[in-house]
Coordinates of all heavy atoms in Angstrom, one line a residue:
T127 N -12.3 13.9 -2.3 CA -13.1 13.8 -3.5 C -14.4 13.1 -3.3 O -15.3 13.3 -4.1 CB -12.3 13.3 -4.7 OG1 -13.0 13.4 -5.9 CG2 -12.1 11.7 -4.5
V128 N -14.5 12.2 -2.3 CA -15.7 11.5 -2.1 C -17.0 12.4 -1.7 O -18.1 12.1 -1.8 CB -15.7 10.4 -1.1 CG1 -14.5 9.4 -1.4 CG2 -15.4 10.9 0.4
Y129 N -16.6 13.6 -1.3 CA -17.6 14.6 -0.9 C -18.2 15.3 -2.1 O -19.3 15.9 -2.0 CB -17.1 15.6 0.2 CG -16.7 15.0 1.4 CD1 -15.4 15.0 1.9 CD2 -17.6 14.4 2.3 CE1 -15.0 14.5 3.1 CE2 -17.3 14.0 3.5 CZ -16.0 14.0 4.0 OH -15.6 13.4 5.2
G130 N -17.5 15.2 -3.2 CA -18.1 15.9 -4.4 C -18.3 17.4 -4.2 O -17.6 18.1 -3.4
E131 N -19.3 17.9 -4.9 CA -19.7 19.3 -4.9 C -20.7 19.4 -3.8 O -21.8 19.0 -3.9 CB -20.2 19.8 -6.2 CG -20.6 21.3 -6.3 CD -19.3 22.1 -6.6 OE1 -18.7 22.0 -7.6 OE2 -18.9 23.0 -5.7
T132 N -20.3 20.1 -2.7 CA -21.2 20.3 -1.6 C -21.4 21.7 -1.1 O -20.5 22.5 -1.3 CB -20.6 19.4 -0.3 OG1 -21.5 19.5 0.8 CG2 -19.3 19.9 0.1
E142 N -22.8 14.0 3.7 CA -23.2 13.0 2.6 C -22.3 13.1 1.5 O -21.9 14.1 0.9 CB -24.7 13.4 2.2 CG -25.3 12.4 1.3 CD -26.7 12.7 0.8 OE1 -27.2 13.6 1.5 OE2 -27.3 12.0 0.0
R143 N -21.9 11.8 1.0 CA -21.1 11.8 -0.1 C -21.9 12.2 -1.4 O -23.0 11.6 -1.5 CB -20.5 10.4 -0.3 CG -19.6 9.9 0.8 CD -18.9 8.6 0.5 NE -19.8 7.6 -0.2 CZ -19.5 6.3 -0.4 NH1 -18.2 5.9 0.0 NH2 -20.2 5.6 -0.9
Q144 N -21.4 13.0 -2.3 CA -22.1 13.4 -3.5 C -21.6 12.5 -4.6 O -20.6 11.9 -4.5 CB -21.9 14.9 -3.8 CG -22.2 15.8 -2.6 CD -23.7 15.7 -2.4 OE1 -24.6 15.6 -3.4 NE2 -24.1 15.7 -1.1
P145 N -22.4 12.5 -5.7 CA -21.9 11.7 -6.9 C -20.5 12.1 -7.3 O -20.2 13.4 -7.3 CB -22.9 12.1 -8.0 CG -24.1 12.3 -7.2 CD -23.7 13.1 -6.0
A146 N -19.7 11.2 -7.6 CA -18.2 11.5 -7.8 C -18.2 12.3 -9.1 O -18.9 12.1 -10.1 CB -17.4 10.2 -8.0
T147 N -17.2 13.2 -9.2 CA -16.9 14.0 -10.4 C -16.0 13.4 -11.4 O -15.8 14.0 -12.4 CB -16.5 15.5 -10.0 OG1 -15.3 15.4 -9.3 CG2 -17.5 16.1 -9.2
S148 N -15.4 12.3 -11.0 CA -14.5 11.6 -11.9 C -14.5 10.0 -11.6 O -14.9 9.7 -10.4 CB -13.1 12.2 -11.8 OG -12.6 11.8 -10.6
G151 N -12.5 9.6 -8.5 CA -13.2 9.8 -7.2 C -14.2 8.7 -7.0 O -14.4 8.3 -5.8
N152 N -14.7 8.1 -8.0 CA -15.7 7.0 -7.8 C -15.0 5.8 -7.3 O -15.6 5.1 -6.4 CB -16.4 6.7 -9.2 CG -17.7 5.9 -8.9 OD1 -18.3 6.1 -7.9 ND2 -18.2 5.2 -9.9
Q155 N -14.8 6.2 -3.6 CA -16.1 5.8 -3.0 C -16.3 4.3 -2.9 O -16.7 3.8 -1.8 CB -17.2 6.5 -3.7 CG -17.2 8.0 -3.6 CD -18.5 8.6 -4.2 OE1 -19.2 8.0 -4.9 NE2 -18.7 9.9 -3.9
V300 N -14.5 21.0 -8.2 CA -15.5 21.6 -7.4 C -15.1 23.0 -7.0 O -13.9 23.3 -6.9 CB -15.8 20.7 -6.1 CG1 -16.2 19.3 -6.6 CG2 -14.6 20.7 -5.2

Side-chain angles (χ1 to χ4, degrees):
T127 190
V128 302
Y129 294 116
E131 186 81 63
T132 179
E142 187 176 351
R143 297 188 320 187
Q144 302 298 319
T147 58
S148 69
N152 202 24
Q155 291 187 347
V300 300

